[in-house]
Structure formats: C-alpha cells, structure tokens
C-alpha cells in the first residue's frame, strides 16, 4: 500500500499529524493482516488445520469490521481537511469526485466483507485472508494514486 509519505509531509502540521497517524494505523493493519496470512500458511503446510485455524476464523469478523471503522474515520478526516482549504466547497468538482471515491471504497469494502463471510463455507480460512489482504491493499493503493497523492500535493501549491 502506498502511503504517499513525501506528499503527506507537506500538509499543515495539525493535518499532517492526523493523516500520518491514520496512515500508520492502516499500514499496521495491513501488516498484521499479512502476518496472519503467513501464520495460516504455516499451519496449512504443517497440516494443522481444524482447531488451530478456528481461532483465525473467529478473528476474521474483527479484522473486517476494524478496517471499515479505520477507513471511515480516515476518509472523514481527509474530507474535513479538504473542506478547510480556501475555495473548496462541497460543490467543488474535485472534492465531490474524491468523496465519491471514498463512498465507493466503503461500498466495495462492505461487498468484500460479505464475500469473506460467504467464502467461509467454500474455501479454507487461509485463502479468505489472502483474498481479503490482496483486494484491500489494491483498493487503498488505487485510491492513493488517483486521489490522495494529488490532493496532498495540492495543499502546498
């Protein structure tokens, strides 16, 4: 996941602190999710599915709902920062497009959460975690490249 470090450092100090802390949380979440995938791979390789993977199956809802909460909070902060900029209103085309992208990510995240729960009976828990990690990383990276990097760079021009 790109966290656009160079661009974030150009924000006003108060905004920088908020966004940077949230990026650290999102990055830590993705790292934890990746580590969980690796742990599950090891269990599967050892043929230790069943009871040992049941814990991971039980943790899945927490992972899914926690990232939705993190993303929602981050998007709200980001939109508030955008609206605090001179000449930016809710009717400003770039703001509307960026906000719409946030809405679409949250909708895709809801679909992804539902898919993870429906996969629960079709594939192993390791595969569910892998799919979730990949799709979530792709969603955030795509958004960073399309919206966040240009927005954050614009805060200093």
């Amino acid at each position: 996941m790109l966290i656009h470090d160079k661009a974030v450092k150009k924000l006003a100090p108060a905004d920088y602190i908020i966004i940077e802390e949230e990026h650290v949380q999102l990055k830590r979440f993705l790292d934890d999710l990746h580590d969980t995938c690796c742990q599950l791979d090891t269990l599967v390789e050892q043929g230790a599915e069943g009871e040992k993977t049941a814990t991971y199956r039980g943790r899945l809802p927490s992972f899914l709902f926690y990232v939705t909460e993190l993303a929602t909070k981050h998007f709200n902060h980001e939109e508030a920062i955008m609206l605090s900029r001179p000449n930016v209103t809710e009717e400003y085309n770039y703001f509307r497009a960026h906000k719409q992208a946030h809405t679409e990510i949250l909708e895709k995240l809801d679909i992804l959460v539902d898919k993870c729960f429906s996969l629960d009976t079709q594939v192993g828990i390791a595969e569910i975690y892998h799919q979730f990690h990949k799709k979530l990383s792709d969603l955030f990276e795509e958004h960073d490249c399309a919206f966040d990097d240009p927005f954050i760079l614009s805060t200093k021009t």
Side-chain angles (χ1 to χ4, degrees), residues 40 43-44 48-58 125-126 129:
L40 280 164
L43 288 173
V44 170
E49 291 192 71
E51 279 186 38
K52 290 188 178 186
T53 59
T55 301
Y56 294 94
R57 196 170 297 279
I125 193 66
Y129 273 90

Side-chain angles (χ1 to χ4, degrees), residues 1-4 26 29-30 33 64 67-68 71 74-75 78 98 100-116 130-149:
M1 177 173 155
L2 296 175
I3 302 292
H4 45 263
L26 287 165
F29 175 84
L30 286 173
L33 190 58
L64 299 173
V67 74
T68 301
H74 176 63
F75 294 158
E78 200 172 80
H98 198 147
Q100 180 60 37
H102 289 165
T103 300
E104 289 171 8
I105 288 173
L106 292 174
E107 288 170 355
K108 288 177 183 178
L109 194 51
D110 284 343
I111 291 167
L112 188 54
V113 166
D114 289 343
K115 183 176 181 183
C116 286
H130 279 288
Q131 285 185 27
F132 182 59
H133 180 263
K134 172 74 172 122
K135 290 179 181 182
L136 187 61
S137 296
D138 290 349
L139 269 175
F140 286 150
E141 187 170 333
E142 181 183 312
H143 181 74
D144 280 354
C145 292
F147 287 98
D148 288 350
D149 289 341

Side-chain angles (χ1 to χ4, degrees), residues 5-148:
D5 292 327
K6 292 177 188 170
V8 168
K9 290 177 182 166
K10 294 182 179 184
L11 287 169
D15 295 338
Y16 169 80
I17 290 169
I18 292 170
I19 297 299
E20 186 61 20
E21 286 175 357
E22 291 170 355
H23 285 172
V24 167
Q25 289 176 324
L26 287 165
K27 174 96 172 79
R28 189 177 315 123
F29 175 84
L30 286 173
D31 290 346
D32 288 348
L33 190 58
H34 180 264
D35 291 346
T36 300
C37 291
C38 293
Q39 292 165 6
L40 280 164
D41 288 343
T42 301
L43 288 173
V44 170
E45 288 171 10
Q46 296 171 348
E49 291 192 71
E51 279 186 38
K52 290 188 178 186
T53 59
T55 301
Y56 294 94
R57 196 170 297 279
R59 290 175 56 201
L60 184 61
S62 296
F63 270 108
L64 299 173
F65 293 118
Y66 180 65
V67 74
T68 301
E69 182 181 309
L70 274 178
T72 300
K73 182 175 78 170
H74 176 63
F75 294 158
N76 288 338
H77 287 151
E78 200 172 80
E79 290 167 15
I81 290 168
M82 289 177 75
L83 288 172
S84 72
R85 304 268 304 140
N87 303 318
V88 176
T89 66
E90 291 197 20
E91 283 71 43
Y92 181 60
N93 284 338
Y94 185 78
F95 174 80
R96 287 188 356 215
H98 198 147
K99 184 175 178 147
Q100 180 60 37
H102 289 165
T103 300
E104 289 171 8
I105 288 173
L106 292 174
E107 288 170 355
K108 288 177 183 178
L109 194 51
D110 284 343
I111 291 167
L112 188 54
V113 166
D114 289 343
K115 183 176 181 183
C116 286
F117 285 126
S118 70
L119 283 175
D120 199 30
T121 59
Q122 300 168 19
V123 298
I125 193 66
E127 180 60 26
I128 293 170
Y129 273 90
H130 279 288
Q131 285 185 27
F132 182 59
H133 180 263
K134 172 74 172 122
K135 290 179 181 182
L136 187 61
S137 296
D138 290 349
L139 269 175
F140 286 150
E141 187 170 333
E142 181 183 312
H143 181 74
D144 280 354
C145 292
F147 287 98
D148 288 350

